[in-house]
């Protein structure tokens, strides 16, 4: 029994070492930049500083198109991967970056960001429009600003119309087009974004929590921004004062965007990992208990030790499997965008 006790001690130590890598993820530079950019604007800070953080974060988004080897992907710890944001976070970050560029008179830089924002929407496929009208409203504005070809402007107007139809809002395309081209156009960013929380026995699922009312309502509707909203001045004649008690048009709801995104392909890998982890640990516990039980029988200690050792090894192998889903999210993300006249 002394040998079995020593084996148990070794098994616990082995499990502790195996689980050492399953800690809270280190601070990720992309996530940190996104947090800082949104927090800066919420606090009424420098638009230039926020724009720089968003620009650096946007460069990291492009790395989504460069996946690792299939084996690396299968073994990677989801919470330890470089953070690239959820689809609604990327789309809003790119839209805000475009707005900040437009504010400083660089619509030529805003146009590529807006096209990228539409592509980062996972619902978008070839020849489809995003269901985020704010992207196309700002795109239409910027194409006019840079005197883009007539065909490009017409295409942006069509995409705005299709996006409006997807949203189910009651406003007309003509009203949105007038808002887009208004010389006093401002975009107000306010509200809180969705949160994520790990779920499942091994944290293999990341559950999105949103405002149920906002998620069910159309994004496009007449609305007044919060008094503490961060305001980006797009039009040359836009007032310099912060958001006042004026009615505008809501064009984005993070809750709605998050509630319509389907799961990631990697979620299936995590479910398989969780099943593997559970099976290995249960079988390891069974073998270890069986070995301990048989160790009290004279003449069977050697076989019992081998069984217990196999159980301890199997349990440790299951412990090293990291089945957790990435539940990180941008806490300072805005929940809404309102276009002001």
């Amino acid at each position: 029994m002394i040998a079995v006790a020593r084996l148990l001690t070794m098994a616990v130590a082995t499990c502790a070492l195996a689980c050492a890598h399953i800690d809270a993820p280190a601070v990720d530079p992309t996530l940190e930049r996104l947090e800082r950019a949104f927090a800066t604007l919420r606090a009424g800070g420098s638009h230039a500083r926020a724009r720089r953080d968003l620009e650096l974060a946007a460069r990291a988004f492009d790395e989504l198109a460069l996946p690792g080897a299939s084996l690396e992907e299968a073994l990677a710890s989801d919470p330890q991967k470089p953070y690239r944001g959820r689809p609604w976070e990327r789309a809003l970050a790119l839209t805000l970056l475009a707005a900040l560029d437009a504010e400083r008179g660089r619509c030529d830089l805003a146009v590529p960001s807006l096209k990228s924002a539409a592509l980062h929407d996972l619902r978008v496929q070839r020849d489809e429009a995003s269901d985020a009208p704010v992207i196309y409203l700002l795109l239409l504005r910027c194409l006019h600003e840079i005197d883009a070809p007539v065909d490009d402007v017409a295409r942006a107007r069509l995409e705005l119309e299709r996006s409006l139809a997807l949203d189910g809002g009651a406003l007309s395309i003509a009203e949105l087009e007038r808002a887009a081209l208004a010389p006093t156009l401002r975009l107000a960013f306010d509200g809180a974004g969705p949160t994520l929380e790990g779920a499942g026995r091994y944290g293999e699922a990341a559950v999105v929590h949103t405002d149920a009312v906002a998620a069910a309502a159309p994004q496009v509707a007449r609305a007044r921004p919060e008094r503490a909203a961060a305001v980006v001045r797009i039009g040359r004649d836009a007032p310099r004062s912060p958001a006042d008690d004026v009615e505008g048009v809501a064009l984005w709801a993070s809750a709605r965007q998050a509630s319509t995104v389907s799961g990631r392909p990697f979620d299936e890998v995590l479910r398989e990992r969780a099943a593997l982890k559970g099976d290995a640990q249960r079988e390891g516990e069974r073998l270890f208990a069986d070995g301990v039980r048989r160790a009290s029988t004279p003449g069977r200690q050697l076989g019992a030790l081998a069984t217990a050792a196999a159980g301890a090894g199997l349990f440790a192998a299951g412990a090293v499997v990291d089945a957790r889903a990435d539940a990180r999210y941008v806490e300072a993300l805005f929940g809404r965008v309102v276009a002001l006249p």
Side-chain angles (χ1 to χ4, degrees):
M1 291 299 291
I2 294 176
V4 173
R6 287 176 178 171
L7 185 62
L8 177 59
T9 301
M10 292 173 60
V12 171
T14 300
C15 181
L17 288 172
C19 296
H21 73 289
I22 307 180
D23 297 319
V27 176
D28 182 272
T30 300
L31 178 57
E32 188 175 34
R33 285 166 182 147
L34 289 170
E35 289 283 15
R36 190 165 57 225
F38 287 109
T40 295
L41 293 173
R42 284 185 179 277
S46 167
H47 284 203
R49 188 181 307 121
R51 190 199 64 79
R52 179 60 177 167
D53 278 325
L54 289 170
E55 182 182 40
L56 292 172
R59 292 177 186 174
F61 296 164
D62 293 336
E63 296 173 13
L64 287 168
L66 301 173
S70 56
L71 181 59
E72 293 174 346
E73 180 75 7
L75 298 177
S77 170
D78 201 28
Q80 299 291 348
K81 290 179 181 177
Y83 192 75
R84 297 297 178 261
R86 299 284 169 160
W88 59 91
E89 293 173 340
R90 297 195 298 270
L92 185 57
L94 287 162
T95 301
L96 179 52
L97 173 60
L100 292 172
D101 276 327
E103 181 180 50
R104 65 192 186 108
R106 295 301 307 270
C107 266
D108 57 319
L109 297 179
V111 168
S113 295
L114 292 166
K115 291 181 177 180
S116 183
L119 290 174
H120 276 280
D121 182 346
L122 290 186
R123 292 169 296 275
V124 176
Q125 299 177 5
R126 187 181 298 276
D127 297 328
E128 289 188 357
S130 165
D131 64 350
V134 66
I135 295 174
Y136 300 116
L137 181 136
L138 190 51
L139 178 60
L140 184 62
R141 170 62 180 241
C142 279
L143 289 174
H144 273 280
E145 288 284 339
I146 63 175
D147 293 324
V150 174
D151 288 348
D152 290 349
V153 174
R155 188 179 303 110
R157 187 184 186 282
L158 176 60
E159 288 172 336
L160 176 59
E161 187 171 16
R162 293 167 66 188
S163 182
L164 180 62
L166 287 172
D167 181 71
L171 276 70
S172 68
I173 180 62
E175 185 171 356
L176 290 189
E177 189 169 15
R178 284 195 299 273
L181 303 180
T184 56
L185 175 64
R186 292 174 292 169
L187 293 182
F189 296 78
D190 65 14
T195 63
L196 270 74
E197 181 182 19
R201 182 176 181 182
Y202 303 110
E204 67 273 15
V207 178
V208 180
H209 296 288
T210 65
D211 183 317
V213 175
Q219 294 178 107
V220 181
R222 292 182 179 84
R224 284 182 167 83
E226 299 173 0
R227 290 191 178 276
V231 179
V232 180
R233 299 170 61 248
I234 308 298
R236 293 185 179 89
D237 299 331
R240 293 187 177 277
S241 60
D244 44 23
D245 189 28
V246 61
E247 186 178 70
V249 179
L251 296 168
W252 164 280
S254 293
R256 172 73 177 264
Q257 291 292 319
S259 67
T260 56
V261 173
S262 59
R264 304 171 300 162
F266 195 73
D267 291 343
E268 181 59 32
V269 174
L270 294 176
R271 285 191 288 269
E272 292 173 357
R273 282 186 190 178
L276 175 64
K277 185 182 184 76
D279 291 345
Q281 291 191 324
R282 283 190 294 271
E283 183 63 11
E285 288 175 345
R286 187 191 69 77
L287 289 173
F288 191 88
D290 184 55
V292 171
R293 179 181 56 78
R294 290 194 288 117
S296 60
T297 303
R300 302 184 66 182
Q301 284 85 355
L302 187 60
L305 284 174
T307 300
L314 188 57
F315 186 89
V320 80
V321 175
D322 189 358
R324 296 172 302 159
D326 186 2
R328 294 173 293 177
Y329 64 95
V330 181
E331 295 183 15
L333 191 79
F334 291 109
R336 189 175 61 159
V337 183
V338 180
L340 300 175

